[in-house]
Every structure is written in C-alpha cells, then in structure tokens.
Amino acid sequence: MSDPDKPFFVGYLPVPRALRAFLLVVCVIFVPGLAGLGLALGTAQDDPGEGAFRFDYGRQTVTGVVELTPYPVLRVTQGSEHVAVGQTLMLAGQGKTSVDARAAPLEGQLATASGVILDRGDLEMMQLRGGQNGLSAAEGAAPEMTTEPLGRWRLAGEICDGKCLAGAMRPGRGIAHKACANLCLLGDIPPVFVTTQPVEGHAFLLITGPGGTKLPAEAYHWVAQFVTVEGEVARRGDLLVLAIDPATLERAD
C-alpha cells in the first residue's frame, strides 16, 4: 500500500515542499555538468589546424611556369603581396574540380594565374578563377626549372586531398572525411601525403603514382587512414613531390 505522505510531483500542481531542495540541487548540477561534458568532448577532438581560404588576402595574381606532376602546379617567377617568388602553388578549380584541361596546353610555359589562396602551414594551393581569367599564357620565355631528386623514402602518415586539407573543409582529414576526400581525388584535386615526421622540413608532400602518373585507384582505399608507403621524393621549388610505389602501401600500427 502506497504511503499517502510521500511527496509526489504533478506537473500542473506546485512542487511539493519536500522535493524543492532536491530538484534545485539536480538543476544546479545538471546545467554545469552538461557544459563541462561539452567542453571535455570538444577538447578531446583533434585540432583541425589553421588551414583556411585566405579571403583576407584578396584575389592574388601571379606569374610562373606551369608544370604537370601530373597534377598542375605553378612555379612562381613573379609573385604578389602574399605569394613569394620561388613558391610552388598547387592549382585547383572551384569545388571538387581540377584545372587539368586549362593547365595542359600551358605545360612548360609562362602563365598568369589568378585566384584565392588556401594555406595550412607549408601547404599552399590556389583555387583559380573561372574561365581565361584564372589561368592564361603570359608574355616571355619560361625560365628553366629544375627538379631535385631526393631519393627513396619510407614514410608514415595519411593520404588526403590537398584542397580540403589546406582549409576548404575542416578538419579535412581523418576517417570521417574519407568520402569527401575520395570525391575530391576523383575530381583530380591534387592529393597530399601528411607525414608523421617532416621530410626535408616539410610536413606535406604532393603525392602521385609511380613515375609521375596520377594516384592509382588502389590507393583510394587507403585514403584518410594511417599508413606507411615507400616512394621517390623530388623537390620542385619549395614543394616536395612523392611518387609512391602502391605495392608498399600498408596499414601502420
């Protein structure tokens, strides 16, 4: 038989005096507790880094030599306020599209590129404007550009798409970003390898298939995972390019 003196809360009636103190304590603990839990979950997440579109720079227009690695890059010979001579910019189009069709006819030639910069540490990319204003032939002869081979390396890290990692998406890496990264790579956005240890002072390398071919399809399975891989590294300006041997790809412990 129920105790008729036991306090019982009914929503449309005043709170029983005996329950007021208990409910007050629960409310005081519950609200700060949720805030603390949210803070703890937030601080436990990986730092997405400082990568971002640099709209604060404004549109940048630079001149340089177009190279295909096979992904298009620009070896800058005439810079701007925020792009120095000697930098090598990876090039991408709007969204998840490449600029291969525009860059291929200009390979080895001097060209003017215009667009917005994305950067994250030593990773730099330019998202070109649309049409001929984004990439066009420039007057003058292209100076000779050298490529310095740095030998075969075995590296540990993660395959990402260069655009999201540079700041188009955040965090832009990790297994939660795998589908987005693969869509970018299918669109021929330049892929990037993020190393656990710097290579010649660089934490990011443009990654290609063997012999300077595009990243092979079998490598897509390994995107956004912690892997080890071997390949030939070469320096193009201030950009390192890793031509991987797909047969050496394996999950890292």
Side-chain angles (χ1 to χ4, degrees):
M1 185 173 179
S2 60
D3 183 358
D5 297 327
K6 185 175 181 180
F8 186 78
F9 175 71
V10 179
Y12 54 85
L13 294 177
V15 177
R17 183 182 299 276
L19 289 178
R20 289 176 185 174
F22 171 75
L23 292 176
L24 180 61
V25 171
V26 169
C27 290
V28 168
I29 295 175
F30 185 69
V31 174
L34 282 181
L37 178 61
L39 180 63
L41 291 174
T43 55
Q45 301 303 307
D46 292 336
D47 184 354
E50 299 299 326
F53 279 103
R54 299 311 303 261
F55 295 115
D56 54 320
Y57 288 176
R59 181 182 296 156
Q60 299 293 297
T61 299
V62 299
T63 300
V65 179
V66 175
E67 292 184 348
L68 300 181
T69 64
Y71 301 97
V73 299
L74 188 78
R75 305 276 292 266
V76 177
T77 58
Q78 183 176 337
S80 64
E81 181 182 1
H82 296 287
V83 181
V85 172
Q87 284 186 235
T88 302
L89 293 174
M90 293 184 288
L91 303 178
Q94 307 281 333
K96 299 179 181 298
T97 61
S98 74
V99 293
D100 292 13
R102 284 190 278 171
L106 298 173
E107 183 179 8
Q109 300 179 36
L110 209 57
T112 298
S114 181
V116 61
I117 298 294
L118 302 93
D119 68 22
R120 180 176 183 176
D122 60 357
L123 174 63
E124 293 169 323
M125 176 175 282
M126 175 180 278
Q127 177 180 281
L128 298 179
R129 301 169 63 189
Q132 293 301 315
N133 291 325
L135 188 66
S136 59
E139 294 185 357
E144 182 178 355
M145 294 292 168
T146 60
T147 298
E148 178 188 1
L150 299 177
R152 188 175 179 88
W153 291 66
R154 181 174 177 80
L155 303 175
E158 180 181 336
I159 301 172
C160 303
D161 75 279
K163 189 172 184 180
C164 290
L165 185 66
M169 295 286 284
R170 300 183 72 182
R173 59 181 299 187
I175 198 68
H177 187 255
K178 182 180 177 67
C180 180
N182 276 345
L183 285 175
C184 284
L185 298 183
L186 289 170
D188 284 336
I189 296 293
V192 170
F193 193 78
V194 186
T195 65
T196 55
Q197 296 292 329
V199 178
E200 298 287 321
H202 291 256
F204 308 101
L205 299 88
L206 176 63
I207 184 173
T208 75
T213 57
K214 291 205 170 181
L215 195 67
E218 58 262 39
Y220 289 22
H221 171 70
W222 300 99
V223 169
Q225 301 182 60
F226 187 41
V227 298
T228 60
V229 66
E230 294 183 19
E232 301 291 331
V233 177
R235 188 195 311 274
R236 293 179 181 241
D238 67 344
L239 177 68
L240 297 187
V241 180
L242 169 65
I244 66 164
D245 177 355
T248 65
L249 268 167
E250 58 184 29
R251 188 187 304 275
D253 294 330

